[in-house]
Each structure stands twice: as C-alpha cells, then as structure tokens.
Amino acid sequence: MNQQVMQKLKRQLEQELQEIEQQLEESERPQATELSNYDNHPADNASDLTDQLTEMAIDEHRGDNAEEIKKALQAMADGTYGKCVVCGEEIPLGRLEAMPKALTCVEHAEQKEENLRPVEEDVLSSTPKSDDFIELEEFGSSDTPQDKM
C-alpha cells in the first residue's frame, strides 16, 4: 500500500476517533422526568429507564468503535496495517477504504460476527426436554388435530 493512501486512511481514522471521543464527552445521561417515584405511573418510570439504557448502549457502542480505531492506528504504527490478523493475507484496498478500522479480511470478519450470539442460546438449545414436558405433551396441545376443529 502506498504512503499516500496510508496517510489518507490514517487521517480518516484520527478524525473519526476525535469525533467519537467528543461525542462521548458531550454525552449526557437522561435524567428522570419526575422528582419523586411515589405518585409516578410505572410507564413513566419505564420510559425513563429505557432512555437511560438506550444512551448507555449508544455510549458503549461508541467506546467499542473508538477501541477498534485505536487498534487500527496501532497497527499502522507497527507496520502491520493492511494484513489480516487471522490469516496474514493482504486486506483488499476497497475494504480498507470502506472500513478503515478493519483488521481482518472479509472471510474472517464474517467468522467474528457469527460469534455475536448470546451465550444463553447455547444453554437453551442444548437443553433436552424435561420428563415433565414430555408427560404434558401426552395430553395434547393446541398443535394436535383434535384442537384445530
């Protein structure tokens, strides 16, 4: 990769990092809309909580983006930028221009995304049906033909 392209990508990453850090500094947690919860409707409390959790999630996402950018800038400093950290192959220039913080080729980026499922799914999908459930199924459910009449 030539130095001119590398400098362009570096400037782009630094600018994006600066914007994210500024957004994180300016970010404010939504405040409760009521002074007291005593006479407040539960839906009002839920709305406030939802607003707070949404802002926290956005800030966490911004923080994750900032970390990815810092890793890409460090890879530039180390001279490893532009090579997949998994397989060592060159990352296509088109991918780097579209996503300068990319440290993996497309094939390995997809593998990374596959692992984003919640760990609870492993437990739920591997749990066999309990004896109680099997016993209840013997009595029928709304899926049985006699219930569809």
Side-chain angles (χ1 to χ4, degrees):
M1 176 182 317
N2 76 38
Q3 289 293 29
Q4 187 178 11
V5 173
M6 181 75 82
Q7 287 301 321
K8 176 186 168 198
L9 294 173
K10 184 175 181 180
R11 281 192 305 273
Q12 188 177 348
L13 285 170
E14 289 171 341
Q15 181 181 0
E16 189 175 344
L17 180 61
Q18 185 180 12
E19 289 172 5
I20 290 172
E21 288 175 344
Q22 183 179 1
Q23 289 170 344
L24 286 171
E25 286 177 19
E26 294 172 357
S27 176
E28 292 183 19
R29 297 272 181 257
Q31 300 298 319
T33 57
E34 298 291 330
L35 297 176
S36 168
N37 287 330
Y38 180 71
D39 65 341
N40 214 6
H41 190 279
D44 293 334
N45 290 336
S47 295
D48 289 344
L49 181 62
T50 300
D51 291 343
Q52 291 171 357
L53 293 176
T54 301
E55 282 300 316
M56 287 172 56
I58 289 170
D59 286 349
E60 184 177 346
H61 179 69
R62 287 178 181 148
D64 292 345
N65 277 341
E67 288 302 314
E68 289 178 14
I69 292 170
K70 288 176 184 176
K71 287 179 184 177
L73 290 170
Q74 185 61 46
M76 285 179 173
D78 296 342
T80 59
Y81 183 76
K83 294 186 187 215
C84 178
V85 294
V86 178
C87 67
E89 294 290 321
E90 287 284 325
I91 300 172
L93 184 58
R95 175 168 169 73
L96 292 175
E97 288 175 340
M99 190 173 164
K101 64 184 175 184
L103 296 176
T104 58
C105 59
V106 175
E107 292 81 23
H108 292 109
E110 290 173 357
Q111 288 177 354
K112 180 182 169 186
E113 290 175 4
E114 288 175 8
N115 298 330
L116 294 177
R117 302 302 305 165
V119 293
E120 292 84 0
E121 286 184 355
D122 295 335
V123 174
L124 292 173
S125 63
S126 65
T127 306
K129 290 183 179 179
S130 67
D131 292 336
D132 295 336
F133 184 76
I134 294 171
E135 189 175 323
L136 283 172
E137 267 189 333
E138 290 176 8
F139 291 100
S141 68
S142 60
D143 296 337
T144 58
Q146 69 265 21
D147 292 333
K148 293 182 181 180
M149 291 183 191

